[in-house]
Amino acid sequence: KAQSTAGAFGAKLSQLPGPLGQVGSRVAGLTSLLSGPAGLILGLGAVVSGLILLVRHAANLGEELKRLSTITGQSVETLSALRLAAEINETSLQEVAHAMGFLQRAMAEAGTGNEELLRLFQALGVAVRDLQGNFRPTEAVMEEVAKAMQRLSSDAERARVVMALFGRGGREIMPILEDLAKRGFAGIREEARRLGLVMSTDQAKAFDQFNDNLAKLRLNASALAVTIAGPLVKALNDLFALGSQPVPKDSLLDWLGTKVLALARALSPVP
């Protein structure tokens, strides 16, 4: 049963893209070759290894989403939904986040005296401030800009707007903007939610804490290794030095006793 469970787990995992899919293929292939006790052990090991890999993958994703949320000011939920749109349109979430950060700066400049940027937003029919004078959410402005760009008459005009509002990296997110103009953030979120790809802020924080704890564990292991290896290396060096020293023929036992005592002191715990 454990073997069949591991095989089924591997088959499901193999359907995923990237490294997870490769691991799943190996798990499914290996478990199909063995039966009996060997298959049982391999099956259990494969399931545990696969689960650990999934946790690490999710933890790394959560950590990255939390980092990008801090940089851009966007929610983890929004960024996790945009990740789906980015992958579908063959770009990266990092490029989308960078473009959103550039748009935020353009909004701030337009709202605080940059006449050129203000006229550009006005020409697109997009307001950077609400009726109360507060800056509008970046995602709302980005969606309206994306829809306004589809009304422009030429690719040259769209390229000029993208460069001014999203920076040089804006060209890379043109497919995202076209998708956003069609479906809006609501449509993108809905698809991501339906596929179970929306991560909450609490989940991202938990995954980030998990990675922090792993890093601390690795550092503690390194410190323990240094504590143990220090005296051991000194003792081994003393032992190696025995071979390079002349052995007194008349007091061999005393000489050996001295060296053994020195070696024992080197190996003893540091007070």
Side-chain angles (χ1 to χ4, degrees), residues 102-103 129 149 225 245 265:
F102 201 98
L103 177 61
R129 293 182 182 271
M149 285 175 57
Q245 295 178 3
R265 286 175 177 171

Side-chain angles (χ1 to χ4, degrees), residues 135-244:
F135 281 105
R136 299 176 62 211
T138 306
E139 61 183 77
V141 173
M142 185 176 180
E143 182 175 330
E144 290 183 11
V145 168
K147 292 178 178 178
M149 285 175 57
Q150 300 309 305
R151 298 192 293 267
L152 298 178
S153 59
S154 68
D155 290 339
E157 285 186 89
R158 282 187 281 273
R160 180 179 65 85
V161 171
V162 164
M163 183 70 73
L165 299 184
F166 298 101
R168 294 181 179 178
R171 297 176 183 176
E172 302 297 327
I173 69 160
M174 284 292 289
I176 296 285
L177 295 174
E178 293 176 3
D179 191 8
L180 194 57
K182 294 175 184 177
R183 298 191 292 168
F185 272 102
I188 291 174
R189 281 198 196 92
E190 178 57 33
E191 182 181 14
R193 190 173 290 109
R194 179 172 55 84
L195 294 174
L197 297 175
V198 176
M199 184 179 293
S200 70
T201 299
D202 288 341
Q203 286 175 321
K205 288 180 179 178
F207 284 133
D208 183 56
Q209 183 62 49
F210 175 79
N211 271 353
D212 289 346
N213 289 334
L214 281 183
K216 292 175 183 177
L217 186 61
R218 285 193 296 268
L219 290 173
N220 287 336
S222 297
L224 180 61
V226 170
T227 301
I228 295 174
L232 180 59
V233 167
K234 183 179 183 304
L236 290 174
N237 286 335
D238 290 342
L239 183 61
F240 295 149
L242 293 177
S244 62

